Amino acid sequence: MAYRVLVADDDHDIRQAITIYLKNEGLEVSEAANGEEVLRIIANEEVHLLILDVMMPILDGLTTAIKLRENDENIPILMLSAKSEDIDKIHGLQVGADDYLEKPFNPLELMARVRAHLRRYTKLGTMEKPASVLTIEGLTLDQVTKIVTIEGQPLKMTPKEFQILALLMSHPNQVFSMEQIYEQIWKEVGFNIENTVSVHIRKIREKIEIDPKKPKYLKVVWGVGYKIEH
């Protein structure tokens, strides 16, 4: 299977240079000059990696990344930004970019990062449609019906509780910080959000655990965050 990379940059020469590097690696390439073109291409083509410039006309890279994540697109995003745009790099990572590379960049470094993201994307199985039903030792979450059961007994959950549990169950054993949970679920940058997240975590535990003080599923990794243990 040939992987397809979408290169989005309003500079034609940069797009062409990146395209040459990618095709030399045996990759298929699509090109876009602005964010609107990115969204249109992704809606109509299977894309496995997006190389996205921050500064583009019509729809910039940051807004494009936000719209992709809002639509549950889990395509890896490698963002390009000039050295003078440090704040954009930070914002890019906060709104859903997976990595960034400063312009001007070394072609060898660009290709190394492309290969790494494609390997990770494939290894995590995200090139396949995500399972609609997640099950971990008696705990089941159906992402279509929005029903959570424990040993077959349905549980009542708020939308945010459901979303947090779905995030953790879809990445078993992966630790998420409070900031990561907040930004993934609330879709905004998290500041002073510890109480908000911890309250939701406590409520989820009370519903899925026999003894919330000795949890079987939802574990805390002190000083780091939370995970669903599998």
Side-chain angles (χ1 to χ4, degrees), residues 118-228:
L118 288 175
R119 280 198 305 270
R120 189 175 303 116
Y121 193 43
T122 306
K123 183 178 180 181
L124 292 174
T126 48
M127 294 181 69
E128 303 297 331
K129 295 292 183 181
S132 61
V133 179
L134 305 172
T135 301
I136 296 179
E137 298 182 17
L139 176 63
T140 300
L141 181 147
D142 191 319
Q143 301 192 80
V144 175
T145 64
K146 306 300 181 184
I147 293 174
V148 178
T149 62
I150 185 75
E151 302 298 344
Q153 297 299 313
L155 304 174
K156 290 185 179 180
M157 290 202 153
T158 67
K160 285 290 188 287
E161 290 167 4
F162 181 91
Q163 292 168 23
I164 292 171
L165 185 59
L167 172 66
L168 298 177
M169 287 185 67
S170 61
H171 300 83
N173 299 319
Q174 179 176 334
V175 181
F176 287 83
S177 69
M178 287 188 178
E179 289 78 11
Q180 288 174 318
I181 292 172
Y182 188 87
E183 289 167 10
Q184 288 273 350
I185 303 305
W186 277 264
K187 306 297 184 184
E188 59 186 32
V189 178
F191 294 105
N192 299 320
I193 47 76
E194 288 79 7
N195 188 58
T196 299
V197 175
S198 62
V199 167
H200 282 80
I201 292 291
R202 177 172 54 81
K203 290 181 177 179
I204 294 171
R205 269 192 177 148
E206 290 173 352
K207 295 176 181 181
I208 68 173
E209 303 287 358
I210 295 175
D211 183 355
K213 294 182 179 179
K214 297 179 180 179
K216 172 182 178 182
Y217 301 106
L218 212 172
K219 303 291 185 71
V220 62
V221 179
W222 295 107
V224 183
Y226 299 96
K227 67 176 180 177
I228 286 287

Side-chain angles (χ1 to χ4, degrees), residues 77-80 93 97-101 113 117:
I77 299 175
L78 171 56
M79 193 161 276
L80 303 179
L93 293 171
D98 299 279
D99 195 4
Y100 72 84
L101 192 60
R113 295 196 187 201
H117 283 294

Side-chain angles (χ1 to χ4, degrees), residues 1-3 11 14 17 26 38 45 50 64 82 84 152 154 173 200-201 221:
M1 174 182 179
Y3 300 132
D11 188 314
I14 291 177
V38 169
E45 296 181 13
L50 170 60
T64 301
S84 61
N173 299 319
H200 282 80
I201 292 291
V221 179

Side-chain angles (χ1 to χ4, degrees), residues 70-104:
E70 285 177 348
N71 294 330
D72 292 329
E73 294 288 354
N74 57 359
I75 301 165
I77 299 175
L78 171 56
M79 193 161 276
L80 303 179
S81 65
K83 288 185 178 180
S84 61
E85 298 161 355
D86 286 341
I87 191 65
D88 287 330
K89 300 171 198 169
I90 296 170
H91 287 166
L93 293 171
Q94 290 173 333
V95 301
D98 299 279
D99 195 4
Y100 72 84
L101 192 60
E102 292 180 347
K103 293 180 179 180

